[in-house]
């Protein structure tokens, strides 16, 4: 059985993330979406909120589960017996960071490999940060995030 982990902050999940989740779920037996619970970053949404939003969004994809994690990604991956890390590559600007991260992870645990999905063209520009900024200034974010997430972003930014 092939189990992979798709890690990220997902603050909030975007249609770009969902695209990667759908595509990765087709080539592995089980995909765990791993939501980073990182105290040093200050996310807009709590980790519980981010997990809930993701669970709602992936509820119709039977082989996808959502979990949160703390600490090193490779340690979490190992603990759930996932030997593949999935990441999306949008543009050349992602490449340096992603390469560094995957090589660090490889040195930390040589049994875990990273595979990259090139982001679909329609989502190539999307990021959680730009979604938050656009929403903050009142832009329509319905083309950026899943339907169930739209109002949660506006509501959170109002608080
Ligand atoms: O969505 P993001 O913020 O680009 O995801 C980054 C993430 C969560 C994949 C990365 O920060 C991560 O794996 N953090 C856990 C700590 C870790 O293992 N870092 C990599 C080795 S230094």
């Amino acid at each position: 059985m092939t189990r992979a982990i798709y890690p990220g902050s997902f603050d909030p999940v975007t249609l770009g993330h969902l695209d990667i989740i759908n595509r990765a779920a087709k080539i592995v037996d089980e995909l765990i979406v791993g939501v980073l619970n990182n105290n040093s970053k200050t996310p807009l949404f709590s980790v519980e909120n981010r997990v809930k939003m993701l669970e709602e969004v992936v509820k119709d994809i039977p082989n996808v589960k959502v979990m949160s994690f703390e600490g090193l990604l490779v340690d979490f991956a190992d603990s759930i017996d996932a030997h593949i890390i999935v990441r999306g590559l949008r543009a050349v600007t992602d490449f340096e960071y992603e390469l560094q991260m995957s090589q660090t992870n490889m040195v930390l645990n040589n049994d875990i490999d990273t595979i990259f999905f090139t982001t679909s063209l329609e989502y190539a520009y999307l990021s959680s940060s730009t979604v938050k900024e656009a929403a903050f200034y009142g832009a329509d974010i319905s083309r950026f995030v899943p339907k169930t997430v739209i109002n949660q972003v506006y509501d959170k930014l109002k608080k």
Side-chain angles (χ1 to χ4, degrees), residues 7-9 36 41 69 71-73 87 97 101 104-105 108:
S9 304
L36 180 68
K41 276 192 187 176
F69 74 98
L72 280 182
L73 171 60
R87 292 285 288 173
Y97 170 63
M101 201 160 59
T104 306
N105 285 335
L108 293 174

Side-chain angles (χ1 to χ4, degrees), residues 113-127:
D113 255 307
T114 303
I115 61 171
F116 294 100
F117 281 81
T118 47
T119 304
S120 300
L121 277 180
E122 57 196 303
Y123 305 124
Y125 61 90
L126 253 186
S127 75

